[in-house]
Structures are given as C-alpha cells and as structure tokens.
Amino acid sequence: MREPLLALLFMLSAVVASVVALVGWRRRHVTPAVGTLAVVATGIAVWSVTGWLGFLVGDPGVLVWLGAVGLLSVGAVMAGFHCLSLAVVDRAWRLSRRTALWLSAEPALVLAAFLVAPWRQRFITLVAAPGESALLLEFGPLFWMHTAYSYILLTFCMARLVRAWIRGPRTQRRLYGITLLAATPSTLVNVASLAGLTGEADMTPIGFCVTTVLSYWALVRLSLHELVPVERRHVLDRISDLVMTIDPSGRILDLNPAAERMLRQLAPGLPERITGLPVLGVLADVPLTDTETAPALSGAEDGDPPFLTVAERRDTVPAKLFPRGLDAPLDLVDRLETDYTVVDARGRGVDLNVRVSALVDSRGERVGWAFVGRDVTALNAQRWALREANARLQEQVATIEALRADLAEQAVRDALTGLHNRRFLMEALGREMRAAGVSGGSLSVALLDIDHFKQINDRYGHGAGDQVLMRFAKLVGGRVRAGDVVARYGGEEFVIVFPGASGEQAVERVEAIRVWVAAGRVPAGGHTLSVSFSAGVAGWCSGMDAGEVLHAADEALYAAKRAGRNRVVLAGGAGAVVSGDAVPGTGAGTGGDAVPGTDAGAVPGTGAGGDVVPGTGAGAVPGTGAGGDVVPGTGAGAVPGTGTGTGGDAVPGGSVEAGKRTAPGQSSPMGGETPAAA
C-alpha cells in the first residue's frame, strides 16, 4: 500500500512540475526569472519521473541508469535555482556564456563518471539486503561530493536572497521572502531522505515540486511587473543625453554613444578608443565659456572666437568642475549642475547643461563621478528668442500704455487750449465737493468770460479768436496754484475751481489773474490785442450740487457784465471788485490805469474801455472814441486830430500809440490795437 501511494505522489509531482515548466517557458520572454524557473521545473519533472519509474522497474541495471538520470536532473535543478536567485535579485540579469559553462561542468562530470563502469560504482551500487531478496542502493564518495556541491550552490543562493531581503527595496522584500520560504520544503525533505527517515524512496523531487509552485506564484502573481527587465545599456545607448563615468584619477571609464559623438564633435582627432583617456586631456583644446556670458561674448569685433580653451582658462571658467585646476588631481564636488557653452570643430556653439554626481561604493567611499550632459542649444535659442520677443512685447505694451494714457488725457483735455474740458471739470468738481464735505473745508468756483470776444472774431477772424483763446488759456493756467482746476467750460468761458478757498479768497485770486491778463498783449491775426475778462465767483455750501454752484457763479458773471465788464463779482456779495473805473467817466484801460481816465499811455482822457458818457468813445472828452474817428481825420484821442488806438492817425501819415504822438510817416512801435469797447 505504501509503494503505490509513493508512486502516485511522484507521478503527481511530475505532472505539476511539467505544467509549471510549460507555462513558464511560454512566458520566458517576459522576464528571465520565469524562464529560469521553467528550467528548474523541467529538472524536477524529470527527477520525479525517475522516482516514479523506480517503483515500476525491478531490473538492477535499469535502476542504476535511472539513478544517473536523477543525478543529472539534480544538477540541472541546482544550476537553475542558482540562476533563479540571480534573476530575482537583479531584474537586468542575463545568463552569460561563462556562467552557463561552469554550471554545466558538474552535470557533465557526473554523466562522464556514469559512462565508465569503475567510476559509476563510486556513485551508487546495488547490494542485497541481509536476509532479504530486495536490492538496496548504496551511495559512494562521488555521490557525497555531488551532494556537497549541490548544497554549497544552494547555500550561496539562499545567502544571496537573504542579503537582498535585508538590503533590497521594500517593495521587493515580499518576493525575496517568499522565494526563501519556497526553498524550505525541498531542503527539509532532502535532509530527511539522506538521513533515511523516508525509507528507501528519495522524496526530494516532491519537496522541490512544492518549491517550484510557490516560486512561480510569487513571480507571476506578486512581482512580475517588478521583474520585467530594463536593459540599462540599451537605454543608455538610445537616450540623447550624454552619459560618462570617470574614475578618481580623471580617466574615462565608460560613455554612451551620445557622449562619444559629442566628444568627437568637439575634438575630431580623438583615437578610436576613448575609454581610458584622461577627461582633461580630451577637453583641453575645447573652447568653453559660461553659457550666461556667451551671448555677450558672441559680438566680438576682432573676428577671433570670444571663447578660450579649457587649458587657456585654467581655473576661471572650469573652476566649478575642476576647483583645484587642470593640473591637480581631480576633486569634484559630490553633486553639481552648471551650464557651459563649447565650440565644436566647425565653430558652432553648443550649449551644454552638465550634471555631476559622485559614485560611491558599499562603504560610502567615492570611486568616481558620473557626468550627465544635455545639449540645450535649441532650448536656449528658443529661450533667447522668447526673451527678445518678451522685451519687444514689453516695449509694445509700454507704447500701448502710453497711447492709452495719452488717449485718456486727450479725452479730458480741450483740443484747442490744452486745458481740461467740461467732462473732466464736472468729475473734478464733484470729487472736490465730496472732499470738502468730508473735511468741512471751503470750496469756490469762478466762471470767466472774455469780454467782447464775438467782436474779435467778427473783426479779425476766427483764427485770431482761436489765438486769443489759446493765449488766454496759457495766461490763466500759469497763474493758478497746484491743486486748482482750470477748464474750458465752452466757447470763451472758462472755469477755475479753488479747493480750500472761501469766496472772498477766490475773488482776490481771480482779481490778480484779471490784472495779469489785462496787462498782457495777445498777438492775433497779425495784430496785437488787449484782452480783458469778466468773472463771477461762487462759494460752495453744504448741500449744493455742481450745477447749483456753477449756476451761482454764472449769475455773478452776468452781474459783472451788467456792471461794465472787466471786473470780478462774488455771488451774493454787496458789491464788485472792479479793475479800473474808480472815477466815473473814465475808461477801464487795458489792465488797470495808473492815472484815472487813462489807458496805457500818459495822456489823461484816453482809454480802451466802454463808453461812460454817451456819445463818447473811450476817452473822457465827448466826441472822442476808441472805435473810430468822431472828427474826420482824427483817431481816438482826447483832442480832435489826435488818437490813441485803433489805427487812426493823429497827423496824416502818422500814428499815436499809448498816448504818444509820432512824426508823419512813422508808425507805432507797439502796433497795439484795442478792439472797440473791448
């Protein structure tokens, strides 16, 4: 009953191992670990078949050869388990020809020993059991040597897995642990079989079958994606980054094709084999500079390259990479990233981003450096183009902003006079009214109107009227204080807003402006005119809106005009501050007479203001005027035949200017004219 059960176990082990071998072999291209496990499963299947046939065959000669096949299977299983441990620990591992040769050496020796009869007996012999007809297997010294070799190989595999489990990545530890546990059943069963605890049958293949199933489950179900190999050399050969390793003495240990192409592009005379050459010797004649300064240096005028070679620069440019100089032993920092621009053999600049990392051994000692470089020439060109485009865009934005500000300013400016327009006036007046309401301060508004402006347009033309408006705006604008608002209200009307000024203070300031304007001369249409204005001033009170304040100032303006023009009137005031008529019957002059009844001259009785006595012009004696000759052949003087103003000659062929007579044939040096009743 015992033998059929054991035979069934061996047959079941052979079937299971065969299935694992078949499935694993079909998936061998996924990862070397699965392919290696398929080889192990194949050896276990053959080993199990020899054990199963041992129960069916009774011929001693056949049993010996079945034992030989079993030993060969054991060698294949041990070699496969060794490769499995390597593939599990290092997913990039590949079976090399050298490893395959030394792993196949022991099974080949076993086969050769079995082919020679004397040596075969040193492995196993069949002897008769005492008192029984059955034959027993007796192991010779070569068998124990074979067993010792297998256990030594198995010990190395287990030690490799234990080390990986201790030091390896946490994500891989479960795989390493399960692979270690999977080897436990086979080891225990083999020890029991060698100790005779399982009787005559060697139950080791059944234990290895359990190991195979557990290992396959761990590989396929748990960590197959982690074991998919990534060929580092293949990746390094394909990437465009420059990768180069150097030893502590500065010699090139290894480099990928991209790095080799770059070095040959920079130094075409390099030998066929670059590895082993000193890196400083390779780069000594390469022109190099910092990328940050390369654009500035590219504009050299003498035609010479703006770059110096590595050897010529010595400790300047390469100082980051070679801090102790080119002649000293290489002593790089552990980690560095910098940018350099080099010039290749054809004179083209190449921008390189260089990263340096120290290579350390298991004891943490530095054994070399890894250089990783990237050609960023195109990227830097795009970056410079983008920077230039950004600069141009900023200039355009600044221009647009200036235009926008100019347009915004034009929107609140009067095109003719350059003063603020009515739109701005209303906004500013509302703002100042709100500020005065919050602070409790004063606020006044003055409305100015140029006297007899229509007569200027009618007599001298609208061009002259525009010149008067522009000159008037300049005169008024130059006499206000910072914070005051001057605006053209419409036509010949102007508004001044006085923040912080009471009505009386505003009247004084407007009066000063009136005197300043009247004292000036305005060139217009080929003539020089005297200009005066009338003004109404209104003080703001809490509760008034902008319209009400302007209306009050307008009413005061009309009061000033009714009172004779060329004066300032305060809204709600008891009287007006006039500009010159202190004695009735005298003219208003051209900005205030020094002597009552005179204009700008020294002869009393002449003037350029309004008529005080009916039938007279601008003077104090009836029959004279500033707008035309009362007596034929006379001007605007106080005595017939004399004149002061508007173009009439006192003596035929002569003229009078500001009360001064000139000889016949002479003209007035001022050429000034005062519009009739202006």
Side-chain angles (χ1 to χ4, degrees):
M1 182 64 184
R2 180 173 177 273
E3 290 184 358
L5 180 59
L6 292 176
L8 181 61
L9 288 177
F10 276 101
M11 184 176 63
L12 182 62
S13 174
V15 172
V16 172
S18 299
V19 171
V20 173
L22 179 62
V23 175
W25 186 253
R26 293 178 61 182
R27 305 186 67 173
R28 68 186 183 278
H29 299 293
V30 178
T31 173
V34 176
T36 304
L37 185 62
V39 175
V40 174
T42 301
I44 293 173
V46 174
W47 193 0
S48 299
V49 169
T50 58
W52 173 63
L53 292 177
F55 290 99
L56 302 179
V57 177
D59 188 347
V62 175
L63 290 177
V64 171
W65 285 105
L66 287 177
V69 174
L71 290 177
L72 291 175
S73 301
V74 171
V77 170
M78 291 296 101
F81 198 78
H82 170 75
C83 295
L84 178 64
S85 65
L86 291 174
V88 169
V89 172
D90 184 6
R91 63 180 182 177
W93 175 86
R94 291 292 187 277
L95 179 63
S96 64
R97 181 177 300 179
R98 181 178 180 182
T99 303
L101 287 176
W102 77 261
L103 286 177
S104 60
E106 196 269 345
L109 291 175
V110 171
L111 179 61
F114 263 88
L115 293 176
V116 180
W119 289 97
R120 183 170 59 244
Q121 295 179 359
R122 295 181 181 274
F123 268 96
I124 54 175
T125 56
L126 293 175
V127 296
E132 298 181 5
S133 59
L135 297 176
L136 299 177
L137 287 175
E138 186 174 294
F139 302 117
L142 292 182
F143 172 83
W144 294 111
M145 292 177 61
H146 162 75
T147 302
Y149 165 79
S150 299
Y151 269 97
I152 291 173
L153 199 60
L154 182 63
T155 301
F156 277 108
C157 296
M158 301 291 284
R160 185 179 298 113
L161 291 172
V162 170
R163 181 181 179 183
W165 182 77
I166 295 174
R167 298 186 178 182
R170 291 182 177 272
T171 56
Q172 296 280 85
R173 289 183 178 179
R174 183 172 59 170
L175 174 63
Y176 303 148
I178 293 178
T179 306
L180 283 170
L181 292 176
T184 303
S186 57
T187 305
L188 294 177
V189 172
N190 183 255
V191 171
S193 298
L194 293 177
L197 300 179
T198 60
E200 299 177 2
D202 184 7
M203 306 294 293
T204 305
I206 298 176
F208 267 107
C209 181
V210 176
T211 299
T212 303
V213 172
L214 291 176
S215 299
Y216 182 82
W217 176 80
L219 291 175
V220 176
R221 297 300 179 184
L222 296 181
S223 303
L224 181 61
H225 65 283
E226 297 174 355
L227 293 173
V228 175
V230 177
E231 178 56 68
R232 288 174 292 183
R233 173 56 58 184
H234 180 78
V235 173
L236 292 177
D237 289 348
R238 295 298 185 272
I239 63 175
S240 59
D241 288 355
L242 290 63
V243 181
M244 179 173 61
T245 57
I246 58 177
D247 63 9
S249 66
R251 294 188 176 274
I252 300 174
L253 295 176
D254 194 10
L255 72 167
N256 68 339
E260 184 172 355
R261 286 194 299 269
M262 178 57 67
L263 291 179
R264 295 190 184 279
Q265 179 181 345
L266 299 177
L270 294 176
E272 181 179 356
R273 181 180 177 85
I274 298 180
T275 55
L277 296 178
V279 64
L280 300 184
V282 173
L283 298 177
D285 297 327
V286 176
L288 174 145
T289 187
D290 290 304
T291 298
E292 297 177 356
T293 61
L297 294 173
S298 61
E301 298 179 356
D302 55 2
D304 296 332
F307 303 92
L308 296 177
T309 64
V310 173
E312 291 170 338
R313 289 189 178 273
R314 292 293 170 180
D315 298 339
T316 55
V317 171
K320 295 179 182 178
L321 291 177
F322 316 121
R324 298 175 60 185
L326 298 176
D327 300 327
L330 201 61
D331 185 19
L332 304 181
V333 296
D334 291 341
R335 187 171 297 274
L336 171 67
E337 181 173 358
T338 184
D339 294 293
Y340 287 118
T341 297
V342 296
V343 179
D344 62 12
R346 288 178 286 184
R348 296 183 304 179
V350 180
D351 296 338
L352 293 177
N353 173 262
V354 181
R355 287 169 291 168
V356 182
S357 300
L359 303 177
V360 296
D361 57 13
S362 58
R363 295 174 295 179
E365 297 180 359
R366 185 187 300 166
V367 295
W369 292 271
F371 282 70
V372 179
R374 175 169 296 180
D375 187 349
V376 293
T377 306
L379 180 62
N380 282 348
Q382 295 176 358
R383 185 179 302 166
W384 283 106
L386 182 61
R387 187 176 299 176
E388 293 176 357
N390 187 46
R392 291 194 299 269
L393 180 61
Q394 290 181 352
E395 293 178 359
Q396 294 174 358
V397 170
T399 302
I400 293 173
E401 183 63 23
L403 292 174
R404 186 201 63 79
D406 185 59
L407 289 175
E409 185 68 15
Q410 291 180 17
V412 296
R413 289 283 180 180
D414 177 62
L416 178 64
T417 63
L419 297 178
H420 288 297
N421 57 18
R422 187 167 182 167
R423 174 184 175 184
F424 180 85
L425 169 67
M426 301 309 293
E427 294 177 356
L429 181 56
R431 182 172 59 251
E432 295 297 339
M433 290 169 60
R434 290 191 295 271
V438 172
S439 63
S442 301
L443 176 66
S444 298
V445 175
L447 182 58
L448 286 61
D449 183 88
I450 301 176
D451 294 332
H452 300 292
F453 181 74
K454 184 177 183 303
Q455 295 182 18
I456 297 176
N457 280 336
D458 294 342
R459 183 169 185 177
Y460 301 104
H462 290 279
D466 290 344
Q467 291 178 338
V468 169
L469 290 174
M470 289 187 290
R471 180 60 179 172
F472 180 81
K474 186 174 182 181
L475 291 173
V476 174
R479 302 298 292 181
V480 297
R481 301 178 182 179
D484 295 345
V485 178
V486 183
R488 185 182 179 188
Y489 195 58
E492 67 273 20
E493 293 183 334
F494 298 82
V495 173
I496 306 177
V497 180
F498 298 99
S502 63
E504 291 76 9
Q505 293 172 335
V507 168
E508 293 178 1
R509 291 163 65 178
V510 175
E511 173 63 18
I513 296 174
R514 187 196 65 78
V515 174
W516 169 258
V517 172
R521 294 294 184 267
V522 179
H527 305 275
T528 302
L529 307 179
S530 297
V531 178
S532 64
F533 68 86
S534 303
V537 178
W540 173 81
C541 298
S542 179
M544 297 177 65
D545 58 20
E548 292 172 342
V549 177
L550 290 172
H551 179 71
D554 190 46
E555 291 294 331
L557 172 62
Y558 278 105
K561 289 184 177 181
R562 288 193 297 269
R565 294 184 173 83
N566 195 18
R567 65 196 63 220
V568 182
V569 173
L570 175 63
V577 179
V578 298
S579 60
D581 290 344
V583 180
T586 62
T590 59
D593 297 331
V595 179
T598 65
D599 62 357
V603 180
T606 64
D611 294 341
V612 178
V613 180
T616 66
V621 179
T624 65
D629 297 338
V630 176
V631 181
T634 64
V639 181
T642 65
T644 60
T646 62
D649 297 329
V651 181
S655 65
V656 176
E657 188 254 342
K660 297 181 181 180
R661 295 188 60 181
T662 61
Q666 293 180 338
S667 61
S668 169
M670 289 294 292
E673 301 182 28
T674 302

